[in-house]
């Protein structure tokens, strides 16, 4: 379902080229849940940005659901991302001037999904936030914000969820309850998951864990 073939990615820092990936190969089956661990700076966020198509590799190929990103124009790739991928970030990335309901409806609107409001309310209920629909992000706790972000990531039924340290900014107990919700929903929907985490306990919830070391993913 997701294939990374001979990926190369480097960044120019000043006059220096920093090589993050020189020949990365990886694949994930549909519905699989994979955790990625690795030291800070090892390239975990870069990997998710490549998979999302937000940044481009210097060489190599990414194929999601039989679609090669190399074959898509920029605008096609943006549409492809919007309909196929859901994101959950460490810092939630909610739109500050939209309330919880409007934030969750956003990907549904972009994808012209019908009954966006009903679906958003249903998802917010399923993460226990039916009493927070009209609250702005600033009026929500960290755990509540992340539950809104999880509902938003799922509303358009993406094929894959990319989560970058989703419990990294939450206290342990809140992190556990947020992860419970995320896993409950993605298992129910059969969604593929790539989860970057520093927590072994969070990683254990996935079927496989890989460590990113020197630009390669090795199975733990
Ligand atoms: N846009 C960028 N320009 C230059 N260097 C970058 C950029 N993004 C990330 N890097 C560098 O690439 C390395 C990997 O970063 P990142 O993917 O964020 O790692 P991780 O998420 O594992 O902490 C770091 O050394 C970082 O400084
Ligand atoms: Mg990171």
């Amino acid at each position: 379902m997701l294939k990374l073939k001979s990926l190369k990615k480097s960044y120019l820092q000043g006059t220096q080229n920093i090589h993050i990936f020189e020949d990365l190969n990886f694949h994930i089956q549909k519905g699989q849940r994979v955790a990625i661990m690795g030291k800070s700076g090892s390239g975990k966020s870069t990997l998710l940005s490549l998979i999302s198509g937000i940044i481009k590799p210097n060489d190599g190929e990414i194929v999601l659901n039989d679609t090669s990103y190399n074959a898509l124009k920029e605008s096609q790739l943006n549409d492809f991302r919007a309909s196929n991928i859901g994101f959950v970030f460490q810092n939630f990335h909610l739109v500050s001037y939209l309330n919880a309901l409007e934030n969750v409806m956003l990907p549904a609107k972009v994808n012209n999904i019908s009954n966006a409001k009903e679906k958003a309310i249903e998802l917010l209920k399923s993460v226990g936030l039916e009493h927070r629909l009209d609250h702005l992000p600033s009026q929500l706790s960290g755990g509540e914000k992340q539950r809104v972000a999880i509902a938003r990531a799922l509303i358009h039924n993406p094929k894959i969820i990319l989560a970058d340290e989703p419990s990294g900014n939450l206290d342990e107990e809140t992190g556990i309850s947020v992860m419970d919700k995320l896993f409950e929903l993605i298992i129910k929907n059969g969604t593929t998951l790539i989860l970057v985490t520093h927590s072994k306990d969070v990683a254990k919830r996935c079927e496989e864990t890989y460590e990113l070391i020197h630009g390669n993913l090795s199975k733990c």
Side-chain angles (χ1 to χ4, degrees):
M1 103 88 28
L2 174 72
K3 288 196 192 104
L4 312 180
K5 299 181 190 169
S6 295
L7 275 197
K8 290 187 180 50
K9 178 67 193 173
S10 56
Y11 291 117
L12 197 58
Q13 286 186 358
T15 56
Q16 261 208 321
N17 241 332
I18 313 276
H19 298 285
I20 310 293
F21 302 116
E22 297 194 87
D23 181 20
L24 179 66
N25 295 282
F26 191 59
H27 65 93
I28 297 183
Q29 309 292 333
K30 185 174 183 296
Q32 213 181 340
R33 298 180 293 279
V34 167
I36 295 185
M37 303 189 78
K39 290 200 177 114
S40 176
S42 58
K44 304 178 299 297
S45 296
T46 300
L47 178 63
L48 294 189
S49 299
L50 286 165
I51 295 169
S52 70
I54 290 167
I55 62 169
K56 297 226 174 312
N58 300 92
D59 202 359
E61 191 182 13
I62 299 170
V63 182
L64 179 60
N65 266 347
D66 297 323
T67 300
S68 170
Y69 292 8
N70 293 349
L72 300 178
K73 293 190 202 119
E74 194 67 37
S75 63
Q76 293 173 316
L77 184 55
N78 290 339
D79 291 347
F80 183 80
R81 175 190 314 123
S83 58
N84 288 285
I85 301 179
F87 298 93
V88 185
F89 299 96
Q90 181 174 7
N91 295 320
F92 324 123
H93 288 210
L94 298 177
V95 180
S96 60
Y97 55 85
L98 298 181
N99 66 31
L101 182 62
E102 292 161 342
N103 263 287
V104 175
M105 284 167 66
L106 216 49
K109 291 213 155 159
V110 171
N111 287 295
N112 281 322
I113 289 173
S114 54
N115 304 328
K117 192 170 177 184
E118 288 74 15
K119 280 184 185 142
I121 291 173
E122 194 185 316
L123 270 166
L124 281 163
K125 265 189 196 158
S126 70
V127 295
L129 289 179
E130 60 273 26
H131 56 307
R132 294 280 186 271
L133 303 184
D134 59 358
H135 285 228
L136 293 171
S138 60
Q139 300 166 324
L140 298 169
S141 71
E144 289 172 336
K145 278 191 270 223
Q146 197 59 304
R147 283 187 278 153
V148 172
I150 287 168
R152 181 185 58 181
L154 287 159
I155 191 165
H156 56 305
N157 270 326
K159 303 281 185 305
I160 187 165
I161 297 268
L162 304 177
D164 199 349
E165 301 186 36
S167 54
N169 268 347
L170 304 174
D171 64 75
E172 196 181 340
E173 194 185 331
T174 308
I176 289 171
S177 85
V178 164
M179 286 299 102
D180 284 346
K181 279 294 164 206
L182 175 67
F183 278 82
E184 180 190 320
L185 292 172
I186 62 163
I187 289 169
K188 191 174 101 192
N189 297 336
T191 315
T192 309
L193 173 72
I194 302 184
L195 174 79
V196 167
T197 182
H198 283 294
S199 157
K200 285 200 172 127
D201 287 331
V202 173
K204 269 192 221 147
R205 294 170 179 251
C206 294
E207 294 151 315
E208 288 181 343
T209 299
Y210 291 83
E211 188 171 5
L212 185 54
I213 311 174
H214 304 310
N216 281 303
L217 285 165
S218 41
K219 208 166 172 173
C220 296

